[in-house]
Amino acid sequence: MPLSIAVIPWGILAGSYAIDAGLDPLQAQAMSAILFAGSAQLVAAGMFKAGIGLGTMLLTTLFITSRHFLYSVSMRDKISDLPTRWRLLLGFWLTDELFAICSGQSKQEFNRWYAAGVGGVFYLFWNLASFVGIVAGSQIPSLNEIGLDFAVAATFIALVFPLINTMPVIVCVLVSLLVSVVLTVNQVEGALMVASIAGMLSGFLCESYKDGNVSSHSITEGESS
């Protein structure tokens, strides 16, 4: 519920963006119901407004949502034994928020009904918020200029912060932050993508160095014994 409430401004923004881009109310609501991806919806609406071709739009959306492939791989051991209908349902509802809540659970702790409850409530709130944005976007001019987009940053900060509990994760976050700010200030295109890759690589190297030290220490202790 806290995540669902926090995403309401973001959903309103997505609905109003779609109207501003020239979609009719039914098309705008269908985007939230079918695509169900906040950042991808905002980018797709902007590209639609700019008259960019369908192929480019689909490719961009694919790249933006490709992280969900990593989410699904990470969750596979918990979901792979479930019936197909469950895997399809949870796969469709696998958002950043659902992954953040359930990824840390062991296979024994994971409860498919709980996951479905989280995903279903979030889906309901997202579409209701989008509907409000669609109605408001038709009635209130420049709704996208009142700062609702901060909900995007606030939601992800709330999701990421509790997970910063190991040195590799700390290194990953700090490197991503630093590279993102430096590249953005210098107006480098693709700053966020470069920062993400730099953060992941630095976290991986830190984890590898940490594991290597642990292994070396264990071997040294064994030889001493």
mmCIF file of all heavy atoms in Angstrom, residues 88-113:
data_model
loop_
_atom_site.group_PDB
_atom_site.id
_atom_site.type_symbol
_atom_site.label_atom_id
_atom_site.label_comp_id
_atom_site.label_asym_id
_atom_site.label_seq_id
_atom_site.Cartn_x
_atom_site.Cartn_y
_atom_site.Cartn_z
ATOM 1 N N LEU A 88 2.674 -16.489 -15.926
ATOM 2 C CA LEU A 88 2.255 -15.418 -16.829
ATOM 3 C C LEU A 88 1.743 -14.203 -16.054
ATOM 4 O O LEU A 88 2.069 -13.055 -16.375
ATOM 5 C CB LEU A 88 1.163 -15.924 -17.779
ATOM 6 C CG LEU A 88 1.604 -16.951 -18.828
ATOM 7 C CD1 LEU A 88 0.399 -17.482 -19.593
ATOM 8 C CD2 LEU A 88 2.608 -16.331 -19.798
ATOM 9 N N LEU A 89 0.943 -14.474 -15.029
ATOM 10 C CA LEU A 89 0.378 -13.381 -14.237
ATOM 11 C C LEU A 89 1.463 -12.604 -13.499
ATOM 12 O O LEU A 89 1.536 -11.368 -13.585
ATOM 13 C CB LEU A 89 -0.638 -13.938 -13.236
ATOM 14 C CG LEU A 89 -1.314 -12.911 -12.323
ATOM 15 C CD1 LEU A 89 -2.207 -11.985 -13.142
ATOM 16 C CD2 LEU A 89 -2.127 -13.613 -11.229
ATOM 17 N N LEU A 90 2.330 -13.316 -12.773
ATOM 18 C CA LEU A 90 3.387 -12.656 -12.014
ATOM 19 C C LEU A 90 4.423 -12.029 -12.947
ATOM 20 O O LEU A 90 5.036 -11.009 -12.602
ATOM 21 C CB LEU A 90 4.054 -13.645 -11.059
ATOM 22 C CG LEU A 90 3.152 -14.184 -9.940
ATOM 23 C CD1 LEU A 90 3.913 -15.189 -9.077
ATOM 24 C CD2 LEU A 90 2.614 -13.048 -9.080
ATOM 25 N N GLY A 91 4.625 -12.623 -14.112
ATOM 26 C CA GLY A 91 5.536 -12.035 -15.090
ATOM 27 C C GLY A 91 5.025 -10.687 -15.588
ATOM 28 O O GLY A 91 5.796 -9.734 -15.745
ATOM 29 N N PHE A 92 3.718 -10.602 -15.828
ATOM 30 C CA PHE A 92 3.127 -9.341 -16.292
ATOM 31 C C PHE A 92 3.152 -8.289 -15.193
ATOM 32 O O PHE A 92 3.348 -7.099 -15.450
ATOM 33 C CB PHE A 92 1.689 -9.593 -16.745
ATOM 34 C CG PHE A 92 0.974 -8.353 -17.215
ATOM 35 C CD1 PHE A 92 1.390 -7.684 -18.360
ATOM 36 C CD2 PHE A 92 -0.094 -7.837 -16.509
ATOM 37 C CE1 PHE A 92 0.743 -6.530 -18.793
ATOM 38 C CE2 PHE A 92 -0.752 -6.690 -16.932
ATOM 39 C CZ PHE A 92 -0.325 -6.035 -18.078
ATOM 40 N N TRP A 93 2.981 -8.711 -13.944
ATOM 41 C CA TRP A 93 2.939 -7.779 -12.820
ATOM 42 C C TRP A 93 4.309 -7.535 -12.186
ATOM 43 O O TRP A 93 4.404 -6.853 -11.172
ATOM 44 C CB TRP A 93 1.974 -8.309 -11.747
ATOM 45 C CG TRP A 93 0.540 -8.057 -12.068
ATOM 46 C CD1 TRP A 93 0.046 -7.206 -13.014
ATOM 47 C CD2 TRP A 93 -0.601 -8.647 -11.431
ATOM 48 N NE1 TRP A 93 -1.323 -7.234 -13.016
ATOM 49 C CE2 TRP A 93 -1.758 -8.106 -12.063
ATOM 50 C CE3 TRP A 93 -0.770 -9.578 -10.412
ATOM 51 C CZ2 TRP A 93 -3.043 -8.468 -11.694
ATOM 52 C CZ3 TRP A 93 -2.063 -9.936 -10.050
ATOM 53 C CH2 TRP A 93 -3.181 -9.389 -10.668
ATOM 54 N N LEU A 94 5.384 -8.066 -12.786
ATOM 55 C CA LEU A 94 6.720 -7.933 -12.196
ATOM 56 C C LEU A 94 7.277 -6.535 -12.460
ATOM 57 O O LEU A 94 7.961 -6.288 -13.445
ATOM 58 C CB LEU A 94 7.664 -8.996 -12.761
ATOM 59 C CG LEU A 94 9.083 -9.026 -12.183
ATOM 60 C CD1 LEU A 94 9.061 -9.174 -10.675
ATOM 61 C CD2 LEU A 94 9.897 -10.151 -12.815
ATOM 62 N N THR A 95 6.972 -5.623 -11.565
ATOM 63 C CA THR A 95 7.466 -4.250 -11.648
ATOM 64 C C THR A 95 8.710 -4.090 -10.775
ATOM 65 O O THR A 95 9.112 -5.015 -10.065
ATOM 66 C CB THR A 95 6.388 -3.271 -11.155
ATOM 67 O OG1 THR A 95 6.044 -3.628 -9.803
ATOM 68 C CG2 THR A 95 5.144 -3.352 -12.028
ATOM 69 N N ASP A 96 9.307 -2.904 -10.822
ATOM 70 C CA ASP A 96 10.450 -2.614 -9.948
ATOM 71 C C ASP A 96 10.058 -2.800 -8.485
ATOM 72 O O ASP A 96 10.831 -3.324 -7.680
ATOM 73 C CB ASP A 96 10.926 -1.172 -10.161
ATOM 74 C CG ASP A 96 11.311 -0.897 -11.600
ATOM 75 O OD1 ASP A 96 12.298 -1.492 -12.062
ATOM 76 O OD2 ASP A 96 10.631 -0.100 -12.253
ATOM 77 N N GLU A 97 8.846 -2.361 -8.153
ATOM 78 C CA GLU A 97 8.390 -2.411 -6.771
ATOM 79 C C GLU A 97 8.182 -3.849 -6.298
ATOM 80 O O GLU A 97 8.589 -4.220 -5.191
ATOM 81 C CB GLU A 97 7.089 -1.616 -6.626
ATOM 82 C CG GLU A 97 7.249 -0.117 -6.796
ATOM 83 C CD GLU A 97 7.400 0.335 -8.239
ATOM 84 O OE1 GLU A 97 7.183 -0.495 -9.160
ATOM 85 O OE2 GLU A 97 7.747 1.501 -8.478
ATOM 86 N N LEU A 98 7.535 -4.665 -7.132
ATOM 87 C CA LEU A 98 7.318 -6.065 -6.764
ATOM 88 C C LEU A 98 8.650 -6.793 -6.615
ATOM 89 O O LEU A 98 8.835 -7.588 -5.686
ATOM 90 C CB LEU A 98 6.453 -6.758 -7.822
ATOM 91 C CG LEU A 98 6.180 -8.254 -7.612
ATOM 92 C CD1 LEU A 98 5.492 -8.500 -6.277
ATOM 93 C CD2 LEU A 98 5.337 -8.827 -8.748
ATOM 94 N N PHE A 99 9.590 -6.506 -7.513
ATOM 95 C CA PHE A 99 10.906 -7.138 -7.421
ATOM 96 C C PHE A 99 11.623 -6.719 -6.143
ATOM 97 O O PHE A 99 12.232 -7.545 -5.455
ATOM 98 C CB PHE A 99 11.750 -6.753 -8.638
ATOM 99 C CG PHE A 99 13.152 -7.311 -8.599
ATOM 100 C CD1 PHE A 99 13.380 -8.652 -8.869
ATOM 101 C CD2 PHE A 99 14.227 -6.506 -8.281
ATOM 102 C CE1 PHE A 99 14.670 -9.178 -8.823
ATOM 103 C CE2 PHE A 99 15.508 -7.012 -8.235
ATOM 104 C CZ PHE A 99 15.731 -8.357 -8.507
ATOM 105 N N ALA A 100 11.543 -5.431 -5.796
ATOM 106 C CA ALA A 100 12.213 -4.943 -4.593
ATOM 107 C C ALA A 100 11.665 -5.616 -3.341
ATOM 108 O O ALA A 100 12.400 -5.903 -2.397
ATOM 109 C CB ALA A 100 12.048 -3.432 -4.483
ATOM 110 N N ILE A 101 10.364 -5.886 -3.328
ATOM 111 C CA ILE A 101 9.735 -6.484 -2.155
ATOM 112 C C ILE A 101 10.022 -7.982 -2.056
ATOM 113 O O ILE A 101 10.291 -8.508 -0.976
ATOM 114 C CB ILE A 101 8.212 -6.240 -2.185
ATOM 115 C CG1 ILE A 101 7.922 -4.757 -1.953
ATOM 116 C CG2 ILE A 101 7.495 -7.076 -1.124
ATOM 117 C CD1 ILE A 101 6.482 -4.382 -2.123
ATOM 118 N N CYS A 102 9.985 -8.681 -3.185
ATOM 119 C CA CYS A 102 10.054 -10.154 -3.164
ATOM 120 C C CYS A 102 11.422 -10.733 -3.491
ATOM 121 O O CYS A 102 11.656 -11.918 -3.227
ATOM 122 C CB CYS A 102 9.026 -10.735 -4.144
ATOM 123 S SG CYS A 102 7.311 -10.396 -3.693
ATOM 124 N N SER A 103 12.321 -9.949 -4.079
ATOM 125 C CA SER A 103 13.597 -10.527 -4.514
ATOM 126 C C SER A 103 14.450 -11.004 -3.347
ATOM 127 O O SER A 103 15.236 -11.944 -3.476
ATOM 128 C CB SER A 103 14.381 -9.502 -5.343
ATOM 129 O OG SER A 103 14.685 -8.356 -4.565
ATOM 130 N N GLY A 104 14.324 -10.358 -2.191
ATOM 131 C CA GLY A 104 15.126 -10.742 -1.048
ATOM 132 C C GLY A 104 14.589 -11.933 -0.282
ATOM 133 O O GLY A 104 15.243 -12.417 0.650
ATOM 134 N N GLN A 105 13.431 -12.410 -0.671
ATOM 135 C CA GLN A 105 12.837 -13.561 0.004
ATOM 136 C C GLN A 105 13.458 -14.863 -0.505
ATOM 137 O O GLN A 105 13.785 -14.982 -1.682
ATOM 138 C CB GLN A 105 11.320 -13.596 -0.224
ATOM 139 C CG GLN A 105 10.580 -12.387 0.314
ATOM 140 C CD GLN A 105 9.106 -12.400 -0.048
ATOM 141 O OE1 GLN A 105 8.678 -13.089 -0.981
ATOM 142 N NE2 GLN A 105 8.306 -11.625 0.673
ATOM 143 N N SER A 106 13.614 -15.823 0.387
ATOM 144 C CA SER A 106 14.076 -17.148 -0.039
ATOM 145 C C SER A 106 12.927 -17.879 -0.717
ATOM 146 O O SER A 106 11.768 -17.427 -0.686
ATOM 147 C CB SER A 106 14.562 -17.948 1.170
ATOM 148 O OG SER A 106 13.471 -18.229 2.039
ATOM 149 N N LYS A 107 13.241 -19.025 -1.318
ATOM 150 C CA LYS A 107 12.198 -19.803 -1.990
ATOM 151 C C LYS A 107 11.145 -20.256 -0.990
ATOM 152 O O LYS A 107 9.956 -20.358 -1.320
ATOM 153 C CB LYS A 107 12.831 -21.014 -2.692
ATOM 154 C CG LYS A 107 11.861 -21.759 -3.609
ATOM 155 C CD LYS A 107 12.578 -22.826 -4.415
ATOM 156 C CE LYS A 107 11.602 -23.521 -5.377
ATOM 157 N NZ LYS A 107 12.282 -24.539 -6.206
ATOM 158 N N GLN A 108 11.563 -20.519 0.227
ATOM 159 C CA GLN A 108 10.624 -20.954 1.264
ATOM 160 C C GLN A 108 9.755 -19.782 1.743
ATOM 161 O O GLN A 108 8.580 -19.965 2.071
ATOM 162 C CB GLN A 108 11.375 -21.561 2.453
ATOM 163 C CG GLN A 108 12.062 -22.896 2.175
ATOM 164 C CD GLN A 108 13.271 -22.763 1.260
ATOM 165 O OE1 GLN A 108 13.970 -21.743 1.301
ATOM 166 N NE2 GLN A 108 13.524 -23.782 0.447
ATOM 167 N N GLU A 109 10.323 -18.600 1.780
ATOM 168 C CA GLU A 109 9.578 -17.425 2.242
ATOM 169 C C GLU A 109 8.615 -16.901 1.185
ATOM 170 O O GLU A 109 7.593 -16.295 1.513
ATOM 171 C CB GLU A 109 10.550 -16.304 2.620
ATOM 172 C CG GLU A 109 11.417 -16.605 3.839
ATOM 173 C CD GLU A 109 12.482 -15.553 4.037
ATOM 174 O OE1 GLU A 109 12.943 -14.960 3.037
ATOM 175 O OE2 GLU A 109 12.867 -15.321 5.190
ATOM 176 N N PHE A 110 8.934 -17.121 -0.087
ATOM 177 C CA PHE A 110 8.129 -16.567 -1.168
ATOM 178 C C PHE A 110 6.723 -17.161 -1.155
ATOM 179 O O PHE A 110 6.543 -18.372 -1.077
ATOM 180 C CB PHE A 110 8.793 -16.846 -2.523
ATOM 181 C CG PHE A 110 8.010 -16.324 -3.697
ATOM 182 C CD1 PHE A 110 8.036 -14.975 -4.017
ATOM 183 C CD2 PHE A 110 7.249 -17.189 -4.482
ATOM 184 C CE1 PHE A 110 7.320 -14.492 -5.103
ATOM 185 C CE2 PHE A 110 6.534 -16.720 -5.569
ATOM 186 C CZ PHE A 110 6.570 -15.364 -5.870
ATOM 187 N N ASN A 111 5.724 -16.271 -1.227
ATOM 188 C CA ASN A 111 4.320 -16.676 -1.245
ATOM 189 C C ASN A 111 3.669 -16.102 -2.498
ATOM 190 O O ASN A 111 3.604 -14.874 -2.656
ATOM 191 C CB ASN A 111 3.618 -16.157 0.020
ATOM 192 C CG ASN A 111 2.188 -16.654 0.126
ATOM 193 O OD1 ASN A 111 1.405 -16.536 -0.814
ATOM 194 N ND2 ASN A 111 1.830 -17.205 1.271
ATOM 195 N N ARG A 112 3.207 -16.970 -3.390
ATOM 196 C CA ARG A 112 2.667 -16.506 -4.662
ATOM 197 C C ARG A 112 1.415 -15.641 -4.476
ATOM 198 O O ARG A 112 1.181 -14.710 -5.251
ATOM 199 C CB ARG A 112 2.346 -17.688 -5.573
ATOM 200 C CG ARG A 112 1.352 -18.694 -5.008
ATOM 201 C CD ARG A 112 1.186 -19.857 -5.966
ATOM 202 N NE ARG A 112 0.328 -20.909 -5.407
ATOM 203 C CZ ARG A 112 0.017 -22.030 -6.054
ATOM 204 N NH1 ARG A 112 0.499 -22.240 -7.273
ATOM 205 N NH2 ARG A 112 -0.756 -22.940 -5.501
ATOM 206 N N TRP A 113 0.627 -15.926 -3.447
ATOM 207 C CA TRP A 113 -0.577 -15.136 -3.209
ATOM 208 C C TRP A 113 -0.214 -13.736 -2.725
ATOM 209 O O TRP A 113 -0.868 -12.748 -3.093
ATOM 210 C CB TRP A 113 -1.486 -15.835 -2.193
ATOM 211 C CG TRP A 113 -2.144 -17.060 -2.755
ATOM 212 C CD1 TRP A 113 -1.785 -18.355 -2.537
ATOM 213 C CD2 TRP A 113 -3.253 -17.097 -3.659
ATOM 214 N NE1 TRP A 113 -2.607 -19.204 -3.236
ATOM 215 C CE2 TRP A 113 -3.525 -18.464 -3.929
ATOM 216 C CE3 TRP A 113 -4.050 -16.120 -4.248
ATOM 217 C CZ2 TRP A 113 -4.549 -18.862 -4.783
ATOM 218 C CZ3 TRP A 113 -5.082 -16.511 -5.099
ATOM 219 C CH2 TRP A 113 -5.314 -17.869 -5.355
#
